[in-house]
Amino acid sequence: MAKVLIPTPLRQYADKRDSVELTGATVAEVLGALTTQYPDLRKQIYNDEGKLRSFVNVYLNDEDIRYLKKEATSVASNDTLSIVPSIAGGSTGVATPPATLSNDEILRHSRHLIMPEVGIEGQLKLKNAKVLLVGAGGLGAPLGLYLSAAGIGRIGVVDFDVVDFTNLQRQVIHGTKDVGRKKLDSASERMRDINPNVQIDRYEVALSSENALEILSGYDLVVDGTDNFPTRYLVNDACVLLKKPNVYGSIFRFEGQATVFAYPGGPCYRCLYPEPPPPGLVPSCAEGGVLGILPGLIGLVQATEAVKLILGAGDPLVGRLLLYDALAMRFRELKLRKSPECPACGDHPTITKLIDYQQFCGIPQHQPAPEPGLAQGEIDPVDVKKKIDRGDRFLLIDVREPHEYQICNIPYARLIPLGELPKRVHELDSAIEIVAHCKSGVRSAKACDFLRQAGFRKVKNMKGGIVAWSDKVDPRVPKY
Ligand code: ZN
């Protein structure tokens, strides 16, 4: 006789009994005997095709039968069968780590499961893992795609940027249709499409000294896909303070780097670079350019390291800086040592809490005043105001987002967000002079370039954007 344990929610279908002794040679026979004795239970456990429902797990002693030989598994007397349905309840808000994979997940991840280095155990580790992705841009794109596909159970994404046309050359998680959308929206939509089982936590913020510890503390490891020095140091210091591995990658033109920082016993970013370069010395990708494919390769090195760390498999890229030169098609590896003098992870750390990273990197808190004088194709806001007052025939377009338009706007301007410009270009008359503005002049410069390429000849960029308008023309317009 085998014993079948009936869980609380199902006892109402089994005369309120908590266990039943039954005979049968296999799991299927024992469950058959059970549901013959209690026909109402049958509907709860089996679907119309006679298959075990996906939210019902059956354990033989302490093994999940789906990983044995399913219902054909033989049952000896004194064995215990437990029926364990999934339960939606629990009011603490703390999810219990999933102990099993659903049949869908088993099928989805079958190429992992048949590898001894992963298997069910490894796939469950991935499912229970929580990874924070800082940035949904160049590096974040392949990371988001592959970490979702790999079955990481929970992925946090920190990003507050909007997709633009210049992103599409490398940020393959976003599509042309996503231009103008929040990167968080477009990335999480794509990740969910790849793997609906992934829980995506969205952080539409700039990571800062105020929020970093709180955000990072919810994750097992951090993958740094940022593009600026202040955030690099912030992520590093927060990871060191929280003792969480920081999977690092960086890219510039044809060259990339990757390593794992803040791993127990290993070096951190400050061991390598105690201080940032002076601002302006190392150009950003926006200034210096980047081969679109490069972040794909470096991001996938990071994704590989993240998965290895979760699985505990192989040799992590700790204490080794991987250098990749795409032009030479050469990988090199440099030894990295943990520095006893490191201000973050050394013997006498001075970084015991997060600091002001903008200041640390020598970046002024406010935008520097624009250079005096106008470049070609620019117009001063004062002259735009004169044109409006004179009643000149021209069109002023505001290429910011609608929510920015709500914060402040120039009543004369027509709102055409930069992302919508390509599909709304037919609304514009190339015979009439067009002046474009945005917040500070960067996006409207892109709009002007786009329009010029589209054949518009009389196009001007309002220098300094609506911020300059507020300074020079109408101080009632709020700056944001
Ligand atoms: Zn260090």
Side-chain angles (χ1 to χ4, degrees):
M1 296 282 266
K3 188 193 252 185
V4 181
L5 301 180
I6 315 280
T8 314
L10 296 182
R11 284 178 201 159
Q12 54 183 310
Y13 308 106
D15 287 347
K16 302 205 165 75
R17 294 183 62 176
D18 58 2
S19 68
V20 189
E21 300 268 334
L22 293 158
T23 47
T26 63
V27 171
E29 286 184 27
V30 175
L31 292 179
L34 176 73
T35 51
T36 305
Q37 194 168 337
Y38 302 109
D40 290 344
L41 202 51
R42 185 165 183 83
K43 284 191 279 236
Q44 306 300 321
I45 302 179
Y46 290 102
N47 65 17
D48 293 341
E49 283 103 34
K51 287 194 175 141
L52 273 177
R53 290 186 182 276
S54 57
F55 54 85
V56 175
N57 291 337
V58 177
Y59 287 77
L60 177 59
N61 302 319
D62 51 10
E63 295 266 27
D64 190 333
I65 59 150
R66 287 173 306 172
Y67 309 134
L68 302 171
K69 284 170 289 170
K70 303 204 171 186
E71 291 167 79
T73 308
S74 44
V75 176
S77 62
N78 301 328
D79 276 349
T80 302
L81 275 178
S82 314
I83 299 169
V84 185
S86 67
I87 300 167
S91 55
T92 59
V94 179
T96 317
T100 56
L101 299 172
S102 68
N103 286 0
D104 289 347
E105 288 169 315
I106 288 172
L107 186 60
R108 174 183 290 269
H109 298 297
S110 65
R111 298 300 183 276
H112 272 169
L113 301 182
I114 58 180
M115 290 201 295
E117 294 81 359
V118 185
I120 287 283
E121 196 190 332
Q123 196 64 47
L124 279 171
K125 284 182 184 168
L126 294 173
K127 181 170 175 173
N128 288 326
K130 303 185 282 286
V131 174
L132 184 70
L133 206 54
V134 185
L139 296 167
L143 280 157
L145 297 174
Y146 277 93
L147 291 179
S148 304
I152 304 291
R154 195 168 141 199
I155 302 176
V157 185
V158 185
D159 201 292
F160 61 98
D161 208 357
V162 169
V163 182
D164 71 42
F165 275 107
T166 71
N167 299 148
L168 302 177
Q169 161 251 26
R170 64 197 178 284
Q171 301 181 14
V172 295
I173 201 164
H174 314 295
T176 304
K177 69 172 171 37
D178 300 315
V179 170
R181 294 177 78 197
K182 291 173 190 167
K183 287 186 181 175
L184 262 189
D185 286 343
S186 121
S188 44
E189 191 176 286
R190 184 81 184 92
M191 288 158 71
R192 219 170 273 126
D193 184 39
I194 289 174
N195 187 349
N197 304 314
V198 180
Q199 181 191 330
I200 299 166
D201 306 330
R202 301 157 47 108
Y203 300 98
E204 193 181 353
V205 291
L207 202 67
S208 70
S209 305
E210 285 71 42
N211 61 27
L213 292 177
E214 192 187 336
I215 294 176
L216 266 65
S217 61
Y219 297 88
D220 305 319
L221 63 91
V222 178
V223 186
D224 185 359
T226 54
D227 59 356
N228 62 81
F229 289 110
T231 318
R232 291 264 184 231
Y233 282 94
L234 168 64
V235 170
N236 179 75
D237 293 356
C239 283
V240 171
L241 289 171
L242 294 167
K243 298 184 168 56
K244 293 188 191 282
N246 168 17
V247 185
Y248 167 92
S250 70
I251 47 169
F252 183 69
R253 293 192 173 156
F254 287 95
E255 289 170 33
Q257 305 181 350
T259 189
V260 175
F261 288 125
Y263 187 82
C268 81
Y269 186 55
R270 282 183 190 260
C271 295
L272 180 61
Y273 303 116
E275 303 218 317
L281 182 69
V282 179
S284 68
C285 288
E287 294 153 354
V290 61
L291 177 72
I293 298 155
L294 183 71
L297 194 143
I298 297 296
L300 290 187
V301 171
Q302 290 177 280
T304 308
E305 288 306 302
V307 166
K308 278 166 57 191
L309 288 174
I310 294 163
L311 295 175
D315 299 320
L317 195 57
V318 174
R320 299 183 282 143
L321 181 67
L322 185 72
L323 300 179
Y324 170 64
D325 178 344
L327 279 183
M329 193 45 78
R330 190 168 289 146
F331 287 90
R332 287 197 302 144
E333 203 179 287
L334 301 180
K335 276 205 183 74
L336 285 186
R337 291 189 206 288
K338 189 177 167 76
S339 162
E341 260 98 70
C342 175
C345 75
D347 295 341
H348 305 286
T350 53
I351 309 286
T352 50
K353 60 181 173 55
L354 299 181
I355 58 169
D356 183 334
Y357 291 88
Q358 298 286 330
Q359 193 186 46
F360 174 66
C361 293
I363 294 166
Q365 294 300 304
H366 300 288
Q367 293 285 330
E371 299 288 318
L374 293 174
Q376 203 180 4
E378 285 184 334
I379 180 168
D380 191 274
V382 173
D383 294 324
V384 177
K385 177 70 164 71
K386 284 180 189 158
K387 288 168 84 67
I388 296 171
D389 291 343
R390 281 198 304 262
D392 286 4
R393 190 159 178 261
F394 82 109
L395 176 65
L396 180 63
I397 58 170
D398 179 347
V399 300
R400 298 173 304 152
E401 296 303 307
H403 65 271
E404 295 180 277
Y405 186 86
Q406 282 177 350
I407 297 170
C408 62
N409 59 67
I410 301 169
Y412 187 84
R414 190 199 298 180
L415 180 67
I416 304 182
L418 182 60
E420 292 179 16
L421 192 55
K423 63 179 183 223
R424 293 179 60 184
V425 71
H426 65 272
E427 295 175 23
L428 306 175
D429 182 350
S430 62
I432 297 174
E433 184 186 4
I434 295 172
V435 175
H437 88 81
C438 61
K439 182 185 172 190
S440 62
V442 176
R443 279 173 288 173
S444 52
K446 285 181 186 164
C448 290
D449 286 345
F450 171 81
L451 288 172
R452 288 185 194 112
Q453 279 170 23
F456 289 74
R457 290 285 162 262
K458 293 185 272 182
V459 180
K460 285 207 173 87
N461 182 24
M462 189 173 90
K463 186 180 168 71
I466 199 163
V467 173
W469 178 274
S470 173
D471 283 332
K472 293 178 160 186
V473 176
D474 187 356
R476 290 169 303 170
V477 170
K479 287 196 271 191
Y480 62 100

